[in-house]
Amino acid sequence: MAATTIEGINFNLTEEHLAVQQAAREFAQTELLPTAIERDTHSKFPAEQVKKMGELGFLGMMVSPEYGGGGMDTISYVLAMEEISKVDASASVIMSVNNSLVCWGLEKYGSEEQKQKYLTKLATGEVIGSFCLSEPEAGSDATSQKTTAIDKGDHYLLNGTKNWITNGNSSSISLVIAQTNVELKHKGINCLIVEKGWDGFAVGKKEDKMGIRSSDTHSLMFTDVKVPKENRIGEDGFGFKFAMTTLNGGRIGIAAQALGIAAGAYELSVKYSKERKAFGMRIAEHQAIQFKLAEMATKIEAARLLVYKAARLKDEDKDYIQAAAMAKLFASEVAMWATTEAVQIHGGYGYVKEYHVERLMRDAKITQIYEGTSEIQKLVIAREILK
Ligand code: CAA
């Protein structure tokens, strides 16, 4: 049943939650902030920082300790995502894809053999993963898969191109969605675990992006790649359902990212408005700025409630499809709006790189696009309301 009310939601954070939040905040401030602008300028992948994220347990937060993960709940995950995204959304998308699109799906639907072989390495950050659904002609319209995985008995023969793949070059393990039986439409789609370096697997050019520039986005090409049958996740034809179910959780991660970007821009704006003087007083004393800050704080708090609600529903094993879509839709719109306001508050300083808010504004835009555009979130919400 669609979740339409705030059902017994308790947002009280435990000592453990607060410790995770604090650890993420410290990591973001000490390891990410000093190099964020430089990495953005040069589109430099945060290799050292990602390694540290693995050591600190941020790459497999919700994975069971049995497979090398932190065994934490989704609330812990969104708290960490928010703190890291306040500073560096490039780092947080790497984290989000590995946690919610790769590790979560593998743990939930993978075979024991797949978990031992792949999940343990992904959860500890020994390697990172990518999730390959989008194609040149299949973005929002994800059922129109042109990549094919032809059944050859003991293996699939994989052919096609995937686009805009986060962790495209840096990932060692990719979950690739491909069509096996065209007649069955989305019920003939599979998800295959593919290792980088297998014959026929090529990494395409790196995308020159508006934002999240230090994350690593590439197209991936597959030419007659032989994928063993044991690398298929779930039953034959389960791939599309796998992708959709995994994205439901992924959207909570991106909603938390959007929340973090908005909150980061807001915190910088509060600080700046207490320092900057105009017309003989601190700009925080001008009502024009106060109204902006008040509206930012209110919308960010509303986004936070939606994000926590979606995370809590997931932790309580309740239906969270609608809640996740609402959280992502709202938080990403707030992120775009709040970062634009932050640039406005910073004036000329906001338009140059030194004060971080212009980067946050560029980073915010993608949260309205990836893991389902705002329009797709509305479609998902409407379908849930009307079903
Ligand atoms: N959860 C679970 N199942 C879902 C679902 C959801 N949210 N949405 C659809 N499905 C299931 C349907 O139930 C249906 O299965 P059955 O036939 O077994 O009932 C199947 O999927 C097909 O659904 P529809 O018939 O509704 O198909 P559609 O073509 O009309 O709509 C869509 C599908 C919802 C638009 C889907 O294509 C979609 O979500 N598109 C957006 C894709 C997306 O989010 N891409 C993000 C790329 S990944 C990324 O960005 C990662 C990154 O790098 C950061």
Side-chain angles (χ1 to χ4, degrees):
M1 201 186 85
T4 49
T5 55
I6 310 245
E7 325 160 12
I9 301 283
N10 173 4
F11 292 135
N12 288 342
L13 301 181
T14 62
E15 290 295 318
E16 288 76 17
H17 289 138
L18 295 175
V20 169
Q21 186 182 43
Q22 184 59 25
R25 190 174 293 154
E26 276 172 26
F27 170 75
Q29 293 295 326
T30 56
E31 306 289 341
L32 294 172
L33 187 61
T35 51
I37 291 173
E38 193 219 331
R39 282 184 286 103
D40 171 79
T41 305
H42 301 291
S43 295
K44 187 168 171 246
F45 184 76
E48 275 170 46
Q49 290 84 350
V50 169
K51 188 166 171 281
K52 280 223 168 98
M53 279 165 108
E55 288 162 7
L56 291 167
F58 288 130
L59 293 179
M61 293 184 72
M62 296 171 288
V63 174
S64 150
E66 192 188 338
Y67 301 111
M72 290 179 225
D73 58 11
T74 316
I75 292 279
S76 304
Y77 170 56
V78 300
L79 289 170
M81 277 295 297
E82 180 182 345
E83 290 306 320
I84 290 173
S85 306
K86 278 181 186 175
V87 172
D88 189 345
S90 293
S92 71
V93 70
I94 297 163
M95 172 179 163
S96 179
V97 166
N98 203 67
N99 274 282
S100 36
L101 294 188
V102 181
C103 287
W104 185 85
L106 253 179
E107 181 160 26
K108 177 111 178 132
Y109 299 111
S111 66
E112 187 53 35
E113 207 181 31
Q114 290 167 353
K115 291 183 208 180
Q116 294 296 346
K117 190 169 178 191
Y118 298 112
L119 182 59
T120 46
K121 291 185 194 167
L122 287 158
T124 54
E126 185 185 329
V127 298
I128 58 170
S130 59
F131 179 84
C132 309
L133 173 66
S134 302
E135 297 185 351
E137 289 172 64
S140 290
D141 185 10
T143 54
S144 296
Q145 294 287 307
K146 297 279 189 305
T147 298
T148 53
I150 304 303
D151 191 337
K152 294 284 182 188
D154 65 343
H155 67 273
Y156 288 99
L157 207 55
L158 184 66
N159 279 286
T161 298
K162 293 291 174 180
N163 258 29
W164 310 293
I165 303 304
T166 304
N167 301 339
N169 192 33
S170 46
S171 61
S172 304
I173 295 161
S174 300
L175 304 188
V176 183
I177 312 295
Q179 188 82 49
T180 296
N181 189 333
V182 186
E183 280 165 23
L184 294 178
K185 300 186 176 158
H186 68 269
K187 291 187 196 302
I189 288 174
N190 280 310
C191 177
L192 307 177
I193 307 170
V194 179
E195 294 180 31
K196 190 178 184 183
W198 280 356
D199 281 351
F201 182 154
V203 178
K205 77 169 176 57
K206 183 171 176 155
E207 299 294 350
D208 187 7
K209 306 190 297 286
M210 170 195 280
I212 54 163
R213 289 179 58 78
S214 101
S215 74
D216 177 34
T217 312
H218 289 256
S219 47
L220 298 181
M221 279 85 79
F222 306 96
T223 311
D224 289 338
V225 178
K226 273 175 136 180
V227 184
K229 268 275 171 73
E230 61 264 24
N231 276 28
R232 184 186 73 213
I233 298 182
E235 294 297 307
D236 188 18
F238 179 63
F240 194 72
K241 203 76 182 170
F242 172 84
M244 290 296 109
T245 311
T246 305
L247 275 166
N248 291 328
R251 287 166 186 164
I252 301 177
I254 299 304
Q257 178 186 53
L259 167 64
I261 294 171
Y266 164 75
E267 287 175 11
L268 289 169
S269 301
V270 170
K271 182 170 178 286
Y272 180 79
S273 61
K274 286 181 181 170
E275 292 164 358
R276 173 79 172 164
K277 288 197 171 139
F279 303 100
M281 61 180 88
R282 296 174 311 144
I283 62 167
E285 291 169 57
H286 291 294
Q287 205 175 47
I289 301 295
Q290 290 175 356
F291 280 10
K292 283 192 193 299
L293 294 176
E295 219 180 325
M296 284 164 92
T298 306
K299 288 186 180 168
I300 289 166
E301 195 64 11
R304 187 172 286 118
L305 289 172
L306 284 176
V307 174
Y308 287 14
K309 176 187 169 181
R312 192 58 99 193
L313 287 174
K314 182 163 175 279
D315 285 337
E316 290 177 354
D317 238 355
K318 293 181 178 154
D319 186 344
Y320 58 91
I321 297 178
Q322 180 181 318
M326 282 181 168
K328 183 184 180 286
L329 172 65
F330 189 74
S332 62
E333 304 289 328
V334 169
M336 196 65 248
W337 172 82
T339 52
T340 310
E341 288 294 82
V343 169
Q344 192 69 18
I345 290 169
H346 282 71
Y349 290 111
Y351 203 65
V352 295
K353 295 189 185 291
E354 200 184 333
Y355 283 73
H356 293 280
V357 287
E358 71 86 36
R359 177 172 54 86
L360 291 172
M361 182 178 157
R362 285 187 283 107
D363 288 352
K365 185 61 206 169
I366 191 63
T367 66
Q368 296 176 305
I369 298 173
Y370 57 21
E371 300 205 21
T373 60
S374 290
E375 292 74 15
I376 288 293
Q377 304 313 319
K378 288 178 197 173
L379 184 147
V380 170
I381 296 162
R383 286 182 181 180
E384 288 295 306
I385 292 167
L386 298 170
K387 81 181 180 191

